[in-house]
Amino acid sequence: MENITVKGELLFELESKQEWVNRVPNILPDKTRAGEQWIWIDSNGNVFECGADFIAAEKAATYPCKVYKLQSVAVANER
């Protein structure tokens, strides 16, 4: 598997599956543009895609889950 690097803004962290159940979707920010993407990553750099991933991360002890808003090329070049 190849490692990649992307730019993003940290939105929040989750310490457990239960925190995901209790806090999401209430803590999700509004999207500022239609194509905006968020990525949910565990401490090993693996991506969360569904509820099974939150369970697996608990079993593997790979929390916290960090949630980032990815930076697009257009937004990067506005600065």
Side-chain angles (χ1 to χ4, degrees), residues 8-13 23 27-30 36-40 66-70:
E9 173 190 346
L10 180 63
L11 298 175
F12 57 88
E13 291 185 30
R23 294 182 64 203
I27 62 171
L28 296 176
D30 292 332
E36 186 173 290
Q37 295 181 353
W38 302 330
I39 190 166
W40 305 56
K66 293 185 177 184
V67 182
Y68 294 89
K69 177 172 73 171
L70 299 181

Side-chain angles (χ1 to χ4, degrees), residues 4-64:
I4 63 169
T5 302
V6 296
K7 292 188 178 186
E9 173 190 346
L10 180 63
L11 298 175
F12 57 88
E13 291 185 30
L14 299 170
E15 297 297 328
S16 67
K17 175 186 163 284
Q18 191 59 48
E19 189 174 8
W20 171 65
V21 169
N22 293 345
R23 294 182 64 203
V24 176
N26 297 334
I27 62 171
L28 296 176
D30 292 332
K31 290 192 172 186
T32 58
R33 58 187 201 286
E36 186 173 290
Q37 295 181 353
W38 302 330
I39 190 166
W40 305 56
I41 303 175
D42 75 357
S43 63
N44 289 337
N46 297 310
V47 177
F48 291 79
E49 296 178 334
C50 65
D53 293 318
F54 289 89
I55 295 167
E58 281 199 329
K59 290 179 182 175
T62 59
Y63 277 91

